[in-house]
Amino acid sequence: MAVLGDTNNDHADEQPVLAHPSSGGSVRDRLLAPERPVDLQILCKHWFATDITARIAGASKMVGDPGLPGRIRGAFGAVLLESASPQAAAGHPCSWDPPCTFEILFRKQGRMEAGFEFPAPWVVLLNPAGIDLLVTLRLFGFAADYAPAASEALLSALGSRLDLAGSTGFFLPKREIVSRTISAQHGLDASLAGPEITLDFLAPVVQSSTSPLVRPQSLIAALAARASGLARWHDVQLAIDRDELLGAIDQLDFEWINARQIQWTRGSNRQHKAIPMSGHVGQLSITGPVDAMACVAPLLSIGESAFIGADVAFGCGRFEVSR
């Protein structure tokens, strides 16, 4: 788990300085040189995300297909690859100034620390809207500077590259994108604390090391590492007291309600095969002392925006918080 820095900072309540990506240096250099350390409360206060949402007519039935976000990811990446720099396309740092969109959104930026790579600064969400399907690409931190290029690539992917049906048998005679919107989210509510919080999983949650049904508390601990990585996309370094966080998690009780397993497959262009996937949906109830709940609440707010667990790049781990 990434536990970094010291939370004592005279300027912790100021707005982080977000340098423009054309300011020189590689993306990895920027991620490795945050402006200053902040705690979870300040990170939530200055959290920034941009949602690009396309509406596909008559496709609401696809909202329950757990493989669709992965297929969207693949089609989106294929479009971005066509306009990538030769260096980024080959897996090397982009030499363009500013870097190409593929460099920002798809090329791995290496490890922040042993065993933990910098997370990709985006996720995909699916929502029904009457009989239509809303596909949302959410960009975090300075990746939002690339929203115009990402928007055009997403529309191209959804319109002509996406295998919408997959193995579901869904048939859409005519695919029509009837609207596209772009909206910004500033700040997260870090005060979700109370005697009980429920996470309602809208997409399967996956854990690579153990089943989330067996050790749901491990989801919270792993979320701290994800939050640390995404903080770097906001040009700040997240400072967490490891002992305090683990102590708070130990005081909490976790109970699954209506949990069920979902299995599907995703395609791999690199391995040229279908990869089995498995996760769980349901409601996860978390109860405990108010102080312990208050300690993990900011993390859960970040997770609600950026998902939790493994395979978030394929749409897994999306949840909503209720009290």
Side-chain angles (χ1 to χ4, degrees):
M1 179 170 61
V3 182
L4 310 170
D6 183 353
T7 58
N8 293 326
N9 189 294
D10 292 338
H11 305 285
D13 59 346
E14 296 177 0
Q15 176 72 29
V17 179
L18 301 180
H20 192 274
S22 64
S23 59
S26 72
V27 177
R28 177 171 170 79
D29 288 341
R30 180 171 177 177
L31 294 173
L32 289 172
E35 295 290 332
R36 66 175 187 275
V38 299
D39 62 18
L40 278 167
Q41 294 284 343
I42 299 302
L43 178 60
C44 284
K45 179 181 178 181
H46 296 303
W47 187 263
F48 183 78
T50 293
D51 283 1
I52 304 166
T53 300
R55 183 168 183 150
I56 304 177
S60 63
K61 292 181 180 179
M62 297 306 300
V63 74
D65 177 10
L68 181 55
R71 298 198 300 277
I72 293 172
R73 173 184 172 82
F76 178 57
V79 174
L80 289 180
L81 184 60
E82 293 176 352
S83 61
S85 70
Q87 296 89 351
H92 305 299
C94 180
S95 62
W96 293 355
D97 185 11
C100 64
T101 309
F102 183 86
E103 166 79 7
I104 296 291
L105 301 185
F106 265 88
R107 200 183 72 80
K108 293 183 181 296
Q109 299 300 327
R111 298 185 183 279
M112 184 173 68
E113 60 179 32
F116 184 72
E117 293 185 343
F118 284 110
W122 59 283
V123 292
V124 172
L125 306 80
L126 305 178
N127 288 296
I131 63 171
D132 299 337
L133 174 69
L134 301 181
V135 176
T136 298
L137 173 69
R138 176 170 293 164
L139 307 175
F140 301 111
F142 67 81
D145 292 344
Y146 288 79
S151 175
E152 296 305 312
L154 178 65
L155 293 182
S156 177
L158 296 179
S160 61
R161 303 294 186 90
L162 174 65
D163 176 9
L164 182 63
S167 61
T168 66
F170 176 78
F171 176 67
L172 189 65
K174 179 183 178 182
R175 189 178 311 180
E176 182 181 4
I177 301 175
V178 295
S179 69
R180 183 224 59 189
T181 61
I182 300 178
S183 60
Q185 175 190 30
H186 296 267
L188 298 172
D189 182 5
S191 60
L192 295 173
E196 180 177 3
I197 291 176
T198 299
L199 312 185
D200 185 8
F201 282 93
L202 307 179
V205 60
V206 177
Q207 272 290 74
S208 56
S209 58
T210 184
S211 167
L213 268 61
V214 176
R215 283 188 54 80
Q217 61 267 39
S218 65
L219 290 170
I220 312 301
L223 181 56
R226 178 161 172 75
S228 293
L230 290 173
R232 299 302 184 97
W233 288 97
H234 290 78
D235 288 314
V236 294
Q237 176 185 12
L238 181 59
I240 300 177
D241 186 319
R242 177 187 177 87
D243 292 337
E244 180 183 5
L245 176 62
L246 294 180
I249 294 174
D250 285 343
Q251 297 180 60
L252 302 178
D253 294 317
F254 297 81
E255 180 183 0
W256 280 97
I257 303 167
N258 300 322
R260 59 188 177 92
Q261 186 179 46
I262 292 180
Q263 295 181 321
W264 71 102
T265 60
R266 68 172 179 85
S268 171
N269 292 330
R270 182 172 61 87
Q271 301 182 44
H272 303 290
K273 66 177 184 180
I275 298 176
M277 302 283 287
S278 177
H280 292 83
V281 293
Q283 296 78 46
L284 178 60
S285 173
I286 307 174
T287 57
V290 173
D291 289 348
M293 296 291 282
C295 185
V296 303
L299 277 177
L300 296 178
S301 293
I302 292 171
E304 189 174 26
S305 177
F307 304 177
I308 193 172
D311 294 327
V312 294
F314 302 102
C316 297
R318 180 188 174 194
F319 66 88
E320 291 182 347
V321 176
S322 61
R323 294 199 291 182

